[in-house]
Amino acid sequence: MAEPFAASPSTEPHNDTAFEEADSRGAVVIKERAIVKIAVAAALQVPGVVKQSGGLSRFTGRDLPRADVSTGANAVAINLYIAVGWPCRLDVLNRRLRGEVCHQVEQMTGMPVCELNIVVAGTESAATEELSPDTLYPEQADSTTSPIRAVPVRPRTPRATPAAVPAAVIVAITALGLAVVAGRELLIMRGTLGNAPWIRNTAEWLGRLHWSDWIVPVATCAVIVGIAFIVAALKPRPCTHLPLKIGDTPTVWLRPTDLARNTSSHAGTVPGVLSAHTTVDRRHVTVRVVRNEAASAADVTTAVRESVQPTLSLLGTSPELRVQVRS
């Protein structure tokens, strides 16, 4: 995950020595798949670039736009494959696309784009109202005409696996077992197998069955299991990631574990803090720090809040920050 917090150095009034001490404790690794998501989201914000899927791409995952990214020590190289609404001024689209993608990647990762190769891999016929120069190329239109903004990307919020998955697995295994039993009974009826039939014997046993004390707990357990299955099927899936405030709609999410590590790293740079540990849930961000005996608990609490708050301000949610200091 890219480290977007380094884009606002003015919000942290610490000296360079503190940051050098923090860097010596570890490193920030930016995965290439995170840069791919940033490049694709930036490309879709440019008018004229359309999202294209269908045919074999649904099975191979080769939807457009897509990106291939390679990172070096301090720079990024991107091969961007796009689909455009046709007709289209490719020179204008190229200029816009380079500006938007390079700006978004550099702003969110801190690494400049040294090479950006754009490949037009597909086209789609644009609607009639989308073909006017005022819509596609607002910089060439009359200055009194306000440009039409691109339709924002529809976000897909990361969510946990449905709670009904275990129940569905149990039901599927039960259905397969019933199918095996039914096949066995068919072979016995046709004389292929000479074993005793299970279904007929079970039905005869149930027909001779009378009231017993064990029926009540079995029926109660069956009701409880049925209610649990219904609740699992109707229970909404919880969110697993935290959205970042980038544009009008969230297109980038952060794992709570990554937020906790970043918060602990910032809190550990505060003078007087020996160690820091952070836990993140849906409503709270709790930072537990161990201070030096020479530092005041109130001063450490205030400094930790000032160091961590710029990180939390980038979130699309507003979790409550709690700082616990002990010596």
Side-chain angles (χ1 to χ4, degrees), residues 199-285:
I199 295 179
R200 186 180 67 183
N201 292 344
T202 302
E204 292 177 354
W205 175 76
L206 291 175
R208 297 190 303 267
L209 187 63
H210 298 284
W211 175 260
S212 301
D213 294 336
W214 59 267
I215 296 179
V216 174
V218 169
T220 303
C221 293
V223 171
I224 294 175
V225 171
I227 294 176
F229 281 4
I230 293 176
V231 172
L234 299 178
K235 183 180 179 181
R237 293 184 294 167
C239 297
T240 58
H241 291 60
L242 301 173
L244 299 182
K245 291 192 300 186
I246 302 174
D248 298 332
T249 57
T251 56
V252 178
W253 284 265
L254 187 69
R255 295 187 308 169
T257 301
D258 297 329
L259 177 62
R261 291 173 178 173
N262 188 277
T263 303
S264 298
S265 176
H266 281 275
T269 62
V270 174
V273 173
L274 300 179
S275 63
H277 177 74
T278 305
T279 56
V280 178
D281 55 32
R282 297 181 183 178
R283 299 182 179 179
H284 305 91
V285 175

